[in-house]
Amino acid sequence: MEHTPASRLEWSPGSIDTFTGKVWSTPMSRDPDRPVTVIGVLFEPGARTFWHSHPEGQVLYVATGVGRVGNADGRITEIAAGDVIYTPAGESHWHGASPTSPMMHLSITSGGATVWDKRDVSDQEYSGASEAQ
Ligand code: MN
């Protein structure tokens, strides 16, 4: 058994090639040969992922704060601590903090690395404004 106190978690900054704004992540699963990967991700207010998908889908568990998620239909959904979001395999989507609150979620995936679309989530997409057009 291994206990890591919160104060000893090691947070690494997210890449500017895959995130907008300030994001940190910390690995929680330990064995790279196991099929499930668990990562804690912390977003500052306004920060979010680029557009991406996951080969075998993704479960997000919101641990703290308030955030939002979006997919190709242009709508955004507010998410908050305790919420669970499931994205099916291959569905393009994004997730991040709300404009005014930080948000930390657990990302639970299997099937290998995230597929990044190399496209950021524009301010219009982040605000949900694209739906109104
Ligand atoms: Mn995702």
Side-chain angles (χ1 to χ4, degrees):
M1 183 179 284
E2 179 181 346
H3 167 221
T4 306
S7 61
R8 290 205 193 154
L9 290 173
E10 295 184 2
W11 295 88
S12 303
S15 168
I16 60 169
D17 295 324
T18 50
F19 294 95
T20 297
K22 290 191 174 175
V23 177
W24 288 268
S25 67
T26 186
M28 294 190 172
S29 49
R30 285 288 183 271
D31 185 346
D33 296 327
R34 294 286 178 178
V36 174
T37 299
V38 182
I39 303 172
V41 189
L42 172 62
F43 300 80
E44 281 202 346
R48 64 266 190 181
T49 68
F50 279 27
W51 287 94
H52 67 280
S53 63
H54 305 280
E56 294 183 356
Q58 179 182 45
V59 172
L60 298 175
Y61 176 75
V62 182
T64 61
V66 180
R68 45 180 66 174
V69 296
N71 64 10
D73 69 13
R75 285 178 297 176
I76 61 170
T77 301
E78 184 171 287
I79 59 176
D83 290 0
V84 174
I85 302 94
Y86 173 69
T87 303
E91 180 176 307
S92 186
H93 69 286
W94 58 269
H95 27 106
S98 85
T100 56
S101 171
M103 186 273 289
M104 197 281 258
H105 67 47
L106 303 188
S107 164
I108 304 165
T109 57
S110 59
T114 298
V115 179
W116 294 100
D117 294 353
K118 297 184 168 62
R119 184 166 67 87
D120 68 359
V121 172
S122 69
D123 289 344
Q124 188 181 48
E125 290 168 329
Y126 177 69
S127 69
S130 57
E131 183 188 24
Q133 296 183 348

